[in-house]
Amino acid sequence: MHALLSLAFVLCWSSGFIGAKLGAGSAPATTILMWRFLPLAVILTVVAVLAGRAAWRGLTARDVGRQAVIGVLSQSGYLLTVYYAIQLGVSSGTTALIDGVQPLVAGALAGPLLRQYVSRRQWLGLCLGVSGVVIVTAADAGAASGVAPWAYLVPFLGMLSLVAATFLESRSPAPVPPRVALTVHCATSAVLFTVLALSTGAAAPPAEGAFWAAIGWLVVLSTFGGYGLYWIILRRSGVTAVNTLMFLMAPVTAVWGALMFGEPFGVQTALGLVVGLVAVAVVHRDSGPPRRETAGSPLRSPHNLPPCRAPKPPDVGHRLSGGRR
């Protein structure tokens, strides 16, 4: 089951870069994002009302507010930067490369922020993953012309936004049902993107069929598929495991680009894909199901985060004060 979820997540998340390119030629980023989330938010809100209050029971205003902030970071901030970067001329492969740096940033920050550690084998997998992503997109990034250098900072900001959302969710005091979280996130994004589109005069959708095809692609594959599976795998397997799968986004996006847009796919891309697959295998081989920390007992799950050295036994004072729920 975990392998199937991981495969579906990689395909669906990669589809977002392709969907962004599909819509980039027909409308501004704010227009695409407004019409991606506005109908979706309405549907999810109606479903939430019809389904009753069971899933929302026990949630406080603070819980909902935290999910709204997570939605701003993981949807609004992340997606706006990705779409804007592609409209500025940054290729989907290069955008995926910058997004692929996320696991290394998350791994470096997870120790001090979440009191978790990453094993030596997992650090090896993370380094292999970075190598695979760089191999796939180095040629594309080096050959890019007519793109302002500062444009490459835009997806980097989006990557940091998603990292921040991941850690904020991981530190949540109580789990929120995925359906509830998705509803709050999409509603927050719908409000934000609608305000942005109206304020810039970009709210009117084009009549082109390609625009609505891109919207349908993004709603079904990217939002329900990629975004929903991201949080499910995060809660089932931990930060390191889900972020390692991000290493596959650049090579998989390159394959999609070759099939759908005729972008080049050569030996370099194939090599990067193989390295990325090896990286995922190395990390997941060292990952077990996360264990909840009990009172007075330090968390010992191998995918819960870094000093890349073996933890000292409790009698020499190496204790973790908290664990991921």
Side-chain angles (χ1 to χ4, degrees):
M1 176 61 72
H2 178 72
L4 291 176
L5 286 176
S6 298
L7 176 62
F9 167 66
V10 170
L11 292 175
C12 290
W13 191 277
S14 299
S15 74
F17 298 103
I18 302 301
K21 188 167 184 176
L22 284 172
S26 57
T30 51
T31 308
I32 299 171
L33 290 168
M34 171 187 168
W35 289 102
R36 170 179 173 175
F37 284 104
L38 190 58
L40 186 59
V42 172
I43 293 172
L44 290 173
T45 301
V46 170
V47 170
V49 172
L50 295 178
R53 301 180 179 179
W56 299 78
R57 189 172 295 117
L59 294 179
T60 65
R62 185 173 182 178
D63 294 330
V64 176
R66 174 184 285 266
Q67 290 301 315
V69 173
I70 292 173
V72 169
L73 292 170
S74 63
Q75 280 191 347
S76 306
Y78 172 72
L79 291 174
L80 185 60
T81 56
V82 168
Y83 283 49
Y84 185 48
I86 290 176
Q87 287 196 339
L88 288 172
V90 180
S91 71
S92 58
T94 301
T95 304
L97 164 65
I98 298 173
D99 186 56
V101 179
Q102 178 193 349
L104 195 59
V105 176
L109 295 177
L113 293 181
L114 297 183
R115 305 290 186 178
Q116 299 175 340
Y117 72 90
V118 171
S119 69
R120 289 184 179 90
R121 183 189 296 273
Q122 288 178 314
W123 274 115
L124 173 62
L126 293 175
C127 292
L128 282 173
V130 171
S131 301
V133 171
V134 171
I135 289 171
V136 170
T137 55
D140 176 70
S145 60
V147 181
W150 62 266
Y152 292 93
L153 295 176
V154 177
F156 181 78
L157 293 175
M159 179 272 295
L160 292 179
S161 181
L162 186 57
V163 169
T166 301
F167 282 118
L168 184 59
E169 166 65 20
S170 298
R171 294 178 66 90
S172 296
V176 175
R179 185 181 67 186
V180 173
L182 184 62
T183 300
V184 175
H185 296 178
C186 290
T188 303
S189 296
V191 171
L192 181 59
F193 288 132
T194 299
V195 170
L196 286 175
L198 289 172
S199 63
T200 57
E208 301 175 22
F211 172 82
W212 293 109
I215 294 298
W217 174 289
L218 291 167
V219 169
V220 176
L221 292 177
S222 304
T223 302
F224 283 118
Y227 189 74
L229 287 171
Y230 179 89
W231 296 111
I232 291 174
I233 296 176
L234 175 67
R235 292 172 182 178
R236 288 169 60 99
S237 302
V239 173
T240 302
V242 71
N243 280 315
T244 303
L245 293 172
M246 302 297 285
F247 286 129
L248 295 178
M249 302 309 170
V252 171
T253 300
V255 173
W256 279 49
L259 294 175
M260 295 189 64
F261 305 114
E263 296 176 349
F265 182 86
V267 175
Q268 188 173 357
T269 301
L271 176 61
L273 179 58
V274 171
V275 173
L277 289 171
V278 171
V280 172
V282 168
V283 172
H284 282 278
R285 182 180 178 183
D286 201 37
S287 297
R291 293 184 293 174
R292 185 183 300 273
E293 181 182 359
T294 57
S297 174
L299 189 66
R300 293 287 184 252
S301 179
H303 55 256
N304 289 333
L305 290 141
C308 50
R309 60 180 183 270
K312 298 178 181 178
D315 54 61
V316 293
H318 183 77
R319 288 188 175 273
L320 306 180
S321 61
R324 185 183 177 278
R325 296 179 180 270

